[in-house]
Amino acid sequence: MKDYENDRRHWIKFESLQNFRVKGGGTIDGSGQIWWQNSCKVNTRLCVDVKVVRLFVAAPENSPNTDGIHVTATQNIQISRCVIKTGDDCISIVSGSRNVKATDITCGPGHGISIGSLGAGNSGAQVSDVVVNRAILTGTSNGVRIKTWQGGSGYARNIQFQNIAMNNVTNPIIIDQNYCDRDEPCHEQASAVRVSNVMYKNIKGTSASKVAINLECSKSVRCHEIVMQDVSLASQRPEYVEASCVSVDLTRRGIVTPLCSPN
């Protein structure tokens, strides 16, 4: 394996050749067993105790699927003082992640800071104990987001978004439990990833969308223990912003604007 440390995706590679021909028979022994043993499908160990500090990640705004930092199957990770400008999520946190702390994050352009997506293809997902503290998001297509597919299972719980500044952000606060990232429509399903114990605290700034707070939870598995404290979002343009809440148990503390009624 040490012979492939610089490039583990290619076994034999041909490039920049013309009129090249290989003739003859024989057998090539790929010695694949050591690779199979180290495959993530066999060796399921998680990353543990990871620290990411002062990382700068940049990609064009129109570059597809360019997540800045993608956290998966990781426990005890600290991300701090990072600047991320990409065409997808600045930070995405997906299944198997626990005890994730992101502090002093500058994000934009991009799709914001996301938990998920979770539960694709009727799969199970587990994300817990996530803290996003002190972040500045500018011109992103989402702010702080939790996104799950219908038909999934498992949970996203014990999540805190706090001390966040939004500058001209579309969907500053969003829970989307009807996420559907494909061309054909996604059919309604009864099961869902359970979202609970989520705190939004001291989040202020401007929204580029009319709906600044959008909590669209599963009709069959309500979002529980969702708390908003000292949240103030205004329109980037001279108009009022709105809040929309579906199938969510919501508690408000301090001044929260815009308002939506729990239902």
Side-chain angles (χ1 to χ4, degrees):
M1 294 182 71
K2 64 181 176 58
D3 294 328
Y4 292 86
E5 288 179 352
N6 293 328
D7 185 357
R8 291 193 169 184
R9 290 185 175 271
H10 297 92
W11 177 41
I12 299 175
K13 182 169 67 173
F14 302 96
E15 62 182 1
S16 302
L17 299 177
Q18 295 181 5
N19 302 323
F20 178 72
R21 180 180 297 176
V22 177
K23 298 177 66 176
T27 301
I28 297 177
D29 183 356
S31 301
Q33 185 174 358
I34 185 64
W35 295 91
W36 306 332
Q37 292 171 352
N38 286 273
S39 166
C40 61
K41 293 183 178 180
V42 176
N43 181 1
T44 57
R45 293 178 295 174
L46 310 176
C47 294
V48 179
D49 299 331
V50 179
K51 184 177 289 188
V52 180
V53 182
R54 292 181 177 173
L55 183 68
F56 178 81
V57 182
E61 185 174 1
N62 61 353
S63 56
N65 200 33
T66 49
D67 288 18
I69 300 175
H70 184 67
V71 181
T72 178
T74 301
Q75 299 179 15
N76 308 332
I77 178 171
Q78 298 182 36
I79 304 168
S80 64
R81 289 174 282 173
C82 294
V83 177
I84 305 170
K85 305 170 179 286
T86 65
D88 210 301
D89 293 328
C90 290
I91 299 175
S92 55
I93 302 167
V94 299
S95 185
S97 299
R98 178 170 57 85
N99 193 19
V100 179
K101 295 182 179 179
T103 58
D104 299 304
I105 305 299
T106 300
C107 170
H111 293 184
I113 298 173
S114 295
I115 310 293
S117 64
L118 306 176
N122 303 105
S123 62
Q126 299 83 37
V127 174
S128 65
D129 305 301
V130 176
V131 176
V132 177
N133 184 27
R134 298 193 304 271
I136 300 173
L137 290 86
T138 302
T140 53
S141 60
N142 294 282
V144 289
R145 174 168 61 158
I146 300 173
K147 50 180 176 175
T148 74
W149 295 75
Q150 292 192 64
S153 60
Y155 56 81
R157 66 192 184 199
N158 302 337
I159 298 165
Q160 298 180 43
F161 298 109
Q162 60 189 30
N163 304 317
I164 297 173
M166 304 280 187
N167 301 315
N168 194 28
V169 170
T170 304
N171 303 316
I173 296 176
I174 179 170
I175 297 177
D176 181 5
Q177 291 214 270
N178 297 304
Y179 183 72
C180 182
D181 186 20
R182 65 187 190 191
D183 294 334
E184 60 273 17
C186 298
H187 300 292
E188 185 172 345
Q189 299 186 53
S191 62
V193 176
R194 181 183 176 90
V195 177
S196 64
N197 194 6
V198 182
M199 164 69 84
Y200 301 92
K201 182 178 180 181
N202 192 29
I203 299 177
K204 299 178 180 180
T206 56
S207 172
S209 57
K210 188 172 182 61
V211 180
I213 298 174
N214 188 2
L215 308 181
E216 187 178 357
C217 296
S218 167
K219 295 179 182 178
S220 56
V221 184
R222 295 174 62 88
C223 294
H224 289 274
E225 300 176 273
I226 310 301
V227 179
M228 289 197 179
Q229 178 175 341
D230 300 328
V231 174
S232 179
L233 296 167
S235 176
Q236 180 70 17
R237 299 180 295 274
E239 62 181 24
Y240 292 105
V241 293
E242 299 176 353
S244 175
C245 301
V246 176
S247 192
V248 56
D249 296 334
L250 176 65
T251 300
R252 295 188 299 267
R253 299 172 182 169
I255 296 174
V256 176
T257 181
L259 290 173
C260 64
S261 300
N263 62 79

